Amino acid sequence: MSDDRGVRFRDRERLARTRTHETALDCLAAGIEAALPERLVRDAVSVRDGSLRIEGGDGETGEYDLDAFDRIVLLGAGKASAEVAAALVALLEGGGHGGHGVAEGVVVTEDPADRPSAAGLAVLPGDHPIPSERGAESARRVLDAAERAGPDDLVLAAITGGGSALLAAPADPLSVTDLRALTEGLLASGASIDEINAVRKHCSAVKGGQLARATAPATTATLAVSDVIGDPLDTIASGPTVPDPSTYADALAVLDRYDLDVPAAVREHLSTGADGDLPETPTAGDPAFDRTAAFVVGNARTALDAAASAAADRGYEPLVLSASVRGEAREAGTTHAAIAEECAARGSPVEPPAVLLSGGETTVTLADAADPGTGGPNAEFVASAGLALAAGPLGEEAVNGDPRVVVASVDTDGIDGPTDAAGAVADATTLDPDAARDALDRHDAYPLLDDAGALLRTGPTGTNVNDLRAIVVEKRD
């Protein structure tokens, strides 16, 4: 869990049994710490002489004369939204803006009692990854606050990963029960996040630019922490404050592509929209966006750069393979193990000692398992990589000495799928190969890794920039 000492892995002393394991954990911790919202806000946002300046990672900047606004309204949703919002409140209060700071603030997140708060900021509950009634009620309060914003107000929107489920306001006449069934089917289908969100946007009263429609004509500035490959603003938390390029027809196509059995009300709603009998979500050029801007203040690259620096500080050559790894977790684990073997044997693509790093988001398709077990993409990635290492040329070598390759992977939010673990760490000797094959076939990696003492637990970290992987490769003695 993050605190003033940084990110801590529980049972770290046991997990860091060799220098190789310790380096892997250090790189992951450094990456998560760099993406903590208070650090992101400190680096991207400043208040000087009554002017608020926001710098996005893509070089975009925005400046707002705070004295020109009647009120500052702070809205948000996502796993890191409370942390971003609290950091903004503290910055504004200390920035000389007439002493009044945020006039009204409402954000929706998980476990609000454990999240930071601030004067004037209501931190409301929601649920992830399956939406809930309480999340829907909290979303309505965000919409109410958005609609109260006037033309002379400045709305700051803290939008982070997880907001799609947390900000669960169903479009009329859909119910939260409909959204729950829809979300469960989508998550198990193997659909990509942009496909999933195309459906969720068109079953929502707030996603897909509709929150911006509610705040208009106020000036709205979005600060986004991205958990999506490539940082498309319309996909981060389903883009509540930015134009939506997807359509009702796109949403229907996703249902058909994955042969999803969804509630009849959902299919009827989407069909009605595709027939042109419902208004589409707002697109680029809509008046809702006349006074809006959006800035990505943190993403997977933020974590990867910090992890690479940590590796270099420890005498390893860092190499970022990609910030955009996607596809099946099991296949990605095998591929990463193969690259590590090539590195160890031939010094390609980098000469060891080295740390291979990657980010992105892999998936686990449950539809191919009759009775799926427990786990998440990071657990499945590590189990698959560990199995591949054991079966490869480094397997026998590891049995006779300390392993030359250690693979570690975490979800930066501290929650890997529906488990209490962030991810796992393994080498060629960690898992029994037969047990690993069986667990992977049943998508049951969590108990396998738990029995091996290989799970990484941090608790909720307060950030979310997707998955982070570190593969440490030692040179041959």
Side-chain angles (χ1 to χ4, degrees):
M1 184 175 295
S2 64
D3 57 20
D4 57 354
R5 297 170 296 170
V7 173
R8 301 293 175 185
F9 293 106
R10 299 171 191 169
D11 298 325
R12 178 187 166 84
E13 291 74 16
R14 176 184 57 77
L15 291 162
R17 64 181 183 82
T18 69
R19 177 174 180 264
T20 314
H21 291 80
E22 183 178 20
T23 299
L25 299 185
D26 286 346
C27 290
L28 295 183
I32 297 171
E33 288 170 4
L36 294 177
E38 55 268 32
R39 300 191 183 194
L40 298 177
V41 171
R42 180 186 65 202
D43 292 343
V45 187
S46 61
V47 179
R48 293 188 180 90
D49 300 324
S51 179
L52 173 70
R53 179 179 175 85
I54 305 173
E55 299 182 18
D58 57 0
E60 293 292 323
T61 62
E63 293 209 23
Y64 302 88
D65 180 3
L66 297 178
D67 292 328
F69 298 101
D70 290 344
R71 296 190 312 149
I72 300 174
V73 178
L74 181 52
L75 307 176
K79 294 181 180 180
S81 61
E83 286 80 1
V84 173
L88 287 171
V89 170
L91 180 69
L92 289 164
E93 288 179 344
H97 178 44
H100 64 265
V102 173
E104 182 177 10
V106 186
V107 298
V108 185
T109 192
E110 291 181 295
D111 303 318
D114 298 328
R115 304 291 183 168
S117 190
L121 178 64
V123 181
L124 305 180
D127 290 279
H128 185 278
I130 306 301
S132 65
E133 291 286 355
R134 68 174 186 169
E137 178 58 31
S138 297
R140 293 184 191 102
R141 288 185 58 181
V142 171
L143 273 172
D144 289 344
E147 290 168 352
R148 284 193 293 271
D152 296 320
D153 290 342
L154 172 63
V155 177
L156 300 178
I159 303 300
T160 73
S164 290
L166 291 161
L167 204 63
D172 187 57
L174 301 180
S175 68
V176 174
T177 300
D178 293 329
L179 292 188
R180 290 176 62 85
L182 171 65
T183 304
E184 288 170 349
L186 286 167
L187 294 178
S189 70
S192 65
I193 188 61
D194 59 314
E195 290 174 318
I196 291 171
N197 284 357
V199 180
R200 293 199 284 199
K201 286 185 232 184
H202 289 87
C203 294
S204 171
V206 64
K207 302 178 182 68
Q210 295 178 88
L211 185 61
R213 182 178 278 168
T215 63
T219 298
T220 299
T222 298
L223 291 84
V225 179
S226 174
D227 69 334
V228 183
I229 291 171
D231 308 328
L233 284 159
D234 65 281
T235 305
I236 302 167
S238 293
T241 59
V242 298
D244 179 22
S246 69
T247 65
Y248 282 104
D250 294 331
L252 272 177
V254 173
L255 301 189
D256 294 337
R257 188 175 305 130
Y258 294 95
D259 193 24
L260 287 174
D261 182 17
V262 300
V266 169
R267 186 169 287 277
E268 181 179 350
H269 172 75
L270 295 177
S271 297
T272 301
D275 290 340
D277 294 328
L278 291 174
E280 270 290 357
T281 49
T283 59
D286 191 288
F289 306 113
D290 285 350
R291 300 174 66 184
T292 68
F295 310 89
V296 175
V297 298
N299 56 14
R301 181 60 64 171
T302 305
L304 285 167
D305 289 346
S309 294
D313 290 345
R314 288 154 181 77
Y316 292 79
E317 184 68 28
L319 176 65
V320 176
L321 299 173
S322 174
S324 307
V325 173
R326 52 197 180 271
E328 287 295 314
R330 180 173 182 172
E331 296 171 4
T334 302
T335 300
H336 280 66
I339 296 171
E341 290 170 345
E342 186 75 8
C343 177
R346 296 179 177 82
S348 175
V350 63
E351 188 71 34
V355 178
L356 308 174
L357 299 160
S358 72
E361 183 175 35
T362 59
T363 55
V364 176
T365 302
L366 299 178
D368 60 357
D371 185 21
T374 305
N378 291 278
E380 192 146 316
F381 174 93
V382 170
S384 176
L387 174 61
L389 291 171
L394 297 174
E396 183 176 349
E397 180 182 324
V399 171
N400 298 321
D402 286 338
R404 289 181 61 199
V405 175
V406 168
V407 177
S409 181
V410 294
D411 193 323
T412 53
D413 67 3
I415 303 168
D416 182 34
T419 75
D420 65 347
V425 59
D427 58 64
T429 67
T430 302
L431 304 174
D432 174 78
D434 290 337
R437 291 186 190 94
D438 178 62
L440 286 166
D441 287 343
R442 294 183 293 106
H443 298 302
D444 201 27
Y446 178 94
L448 171 81
L449 293 160
D450 196 18
D451 289 345
L455 290 174
L456 298 178
R457 294 182 171 94
T458 61
T461 62
T463 191
N464 185 21
V465 291
N466 245 325
D467 300 336
L468 177 63
R469 310 173 196 91
I471 301 97
V472 184
V473 183
E474 300 287 358
K475 64 182 179 181
R476 188 184 300 276
D477 291 337

